[in-house]
Amino acid sequence: MAKIGEKELKDQIKENKFSNIYIIYGEETYLKDFYIKKLKSKLVDPAFADFNYHEYEGKDCSIDDVLRDVQMMPMMSEYSVVLVRDFPFGDNSDAVNSLKEYAKDLCDTSVLIFWYDSLNIDVKKNSKWNTVINTIAKVGSSVNLEKRSLSDLAKMIVSYAKKQNCVISSANAQYLITVVGNDIKTVFNELEKMCNFANGEVTREIIDNLAVKSLQARVFDLSKFILKGDSDSAYKVLNTLFVQKEEPIAVLSVISSCYVDMYRVKCAKTANIDENNLNSIFSYKNREFLIKNAARDCRSISTEGLRKAIDILSHSDELMKSTSVDKNLLLEETVAKLLILRSKYASY
């Protein structure tokens, strides 16, 4: 037993070789939900589900409740299954200790699944999560379902469109990701809508007209207009964000990330380092398109201009988080400063 990924979990389900205990977590909500349903369909006979299947919300139960049901013998089935959603081990040392004790002598007629749907597991900030993951990995399966890479997700999009009797090119699939984000469920929902509208093929024009842009994509547009010196378009996007009541701190954070990405690419070019190496140096795994966008956009502003822009953004972030200043007003002022800066440090 070990820490495994999607491929190993898929193989377990296909071969009916199950662990007696799982922890399933990670960034990709769609995949977590998909494999939970797959496990249930293989492990639970609907005719005897009332006897052999028990589901808990972690915030509403104790570890004693869970482990009591795990010890129950299955009726007319190979396993009894206990599914626990978002159990808060990070706040409960006693529960961690109880889990460690249970792991010493697992019940081989039960499958216990800890599923983290909305509760975030942060192993860096809370060592209890590391203990839980490692404890389960030693005797069962610890499954981290991460975001798909851009190329893998694009392949999924092409395949999903085909199932909808529709066609989308690989290039447009990748473009769709940059517009709506890389959450699989969101991508598929948007794609299904477009396939219903399209006459056989989802084109870039259809994506532009129908896709609901993610916050990140809308702020990317804002940053792009700032770098072009197009103040009218920049303020049009900003006003739309205000109308949609987007949180100013979140908007400022995305703008800041755009400028940091551009600065990293600019520095890499100055040092004759291939920009693709930034994927491994920094945290761009499965978000490689950010580097591609940054490489395109950073041409319009000098390195010194990017440094000063990051200083402006850092100061605005500090003010937003430490004073009672009107955050929308501060965000508008920040955009104005960035537009002025661009005119002084434009790189042609």
Side-chain angles (χ1 to χ4, degrees):
M1 304 302 177
K3 296 178 181 179
I4 64 175
E6 182 183 358
K7 181 183 182 302
E8 293 84 358
L9 179 60
K10 185 186 294 184
D11 289 343
Q12 283 189 12
I13 295 170
K14 182 179 179 180
E15 298 167 10
N16 292 321
K17 295 180 179 178
F18 303 105
S19 298
N20 290 111
I21 184 169
Y22 290 89
I23 180 169
I24 298 177
Y25 65 103
E27 294 181 318
E28 189 46 74
T29 301
Y30 174 87
L31 292 178
K32 290 185 290 186
D33 185 63
F34 177 82
Y35 284 108
I36 288 293
K37 289 176 180 175
K38 283 286 188 182
L39 283 168
K40 285 173 64 176
S41 69
K42 280 295 191 81
L43 289 166
V44 182
D45 182 344
F48 298 97
D50 288 344
F51 301 101
N52 298 324
Y53 178 70
H54 311 276
E55 184 170 332
Y56 286 103
E57 287 291 337
K59 61 183 175 57
D60 298 327
C61 70
S62 69
I63 195 67
D64 293 335
D65 295 332
V66 173
L67 297 182
R68 182 193 64 239
D69 280 346
V70 170
Q71 304 294 339
M72 294 178 65
M73 295 295 293
M75 180 177 290
M76 304 294 289
S77 295
E78 185 175 359
Y79 297 107
S80 65
V81 178
V82 179
L83 176 66
V84 188
R85 186 199 304 256
D86 293 332
F87 190 88
F89 281 111
D91 302 326
N92 194 328
S93 297
D94 290 340
V96 174
N97 292 331
S98 295
L99 177 68
K100 289 166 69 176
E101 285 300 312
Y102 174 70
K104 294 176 183 177
D105 186 21
L106 293 179
C107 180
D108 59 8
T109 59
S110 296
V111 175
L112 172 57
I113 306 169
F114 290 102
W115 168 28
Y116 287 88
D117 178 35
S118 56
L119 182 63
N120 181 45
I121 291 181
D122 193 333
V123 296
K124 294 181 179 179
K125 291 185 178 179
N126 193 326
S127 62
K128 294 186 185 72
W129 288 119
N130 237 341
T131 301
V132 169
I133 289 170
N134 291 331
T135 296
I136 292 176
K138 287 179 183 177
V139 294
S141 294
S142 173
V143 190
N144 184 6
L145 295 173
E146 298 181 304
K147 293 287 187 184
R148 291 288 184 91
S149 68
L150 181 62
S151 59
D152 285 346
L153 183 51
K155 290 176 184 176
M156 288 181 69
I157 291 170
V158 171
S159 176
Y160 187 81
K162 188 175 181 180
K163 292 176 182 177
Q164 303 293 318
N165 298 315
C166 194
V167 174
I168 184 171
S169 69
S170 179
N172 282 338
Q174 293 192 28
Y175 177 65
L176 177 62
I177 297 166
T178 66
V179 172
V180 303
N182 62 348
D183 177 77
I184 295 177
K185 186 174 182 179
T186 301
V187 171
F188 283 0
N189 286 341
E190 290 295 308
L191 181 59
E192 186 173 351
K193 174 180 68 179
M194 293 174 204
C195 285
N196 289 333
F197 173 85
N199 185 24
E201 181 177 4
V202 174
T203 63
R204 184 162 179 153
E205 182 181 7
I206 289 175
I207 294 171
D208 287 337
N209 289 333
L210 294 185
V212 177
K213 287 190 173 184
S214 66
L215 172 62
Q216 188 175 51
R218 283 176 284 155
V219 178
F220 281 165
D221 286 344
L222 172 59
S223 299
K224 182 172 62 178
F225 290 133
I226 291 172
L227 290 165
K228 285 182 177 179
D230 186 347
S231 58
D232 288 344
S233 296
Y235 281 113
K236 184 177 179 180
V237 174
L238 187 61
N239 287 333
T240 299
L241 293 170
F242 289 158
V243 169
Q244 294 172 340
K245 299 188 184 302
E246 295 290 357
E247 173 55 50
I249 290 177
V251 174
L252 184 68
S253 175
V254 179
I255 297 175
S256 300
S257 71
C258 291
Y259 276 84
V260 169
D261 292 341
M262 288 188 288
Y263 183 67
R264 288 170 175 170
V265 170
K266 203 84 166 179
C267 289
K269 287 180 180 294
T270 302
N272 293 318
I273 296 173
D274 188 333
E275 64 196 39
N276 293 320
N277 290 338
L278 294 174
N279 293 334
S280 55
I281 298 172
F282 299 102
S283 301
Y284 291 103
K285 185 178 180 181
N286 301 333
R287 300 182 302 137
E288 296 86 353
F289 66 90
L290 296 178
I291 294 297
K292 182 179 178 181
N293 290 346
R296 178 197 64 214
D297 296 336
C298 72
R299 298 170 190 156
S300 61
I301 188 168
S302 67
T303 304
E304 180 64 19
L306 288 170
R307 289 196 189 102
K308 290 185 178 296
I310 291 171
D311 286 342
I312 289 171
L313 290 160
S314 178
H315 180 63
S316 296
D317 181 69
E318 184 179 348
L319 287 176
M320 275 195 188
K321 294 176 179 176
S322 62
T323 68
S324 58
V325 65
D326 184 312
K327 292 180 175 57
N328 282 353
L329 185 61
L330 180 57
L331 186 58
E332 193 169 358
E333 181 183 309
T334 301
V335 169
K337 288 179 179 178
L338 292 174
L339 283 163
I340 294 169
L341 188 73
R342 185 267 172 197
S343 65
K344 292 174 63 176
Y345 291 93
S347 177
Y348 299 101

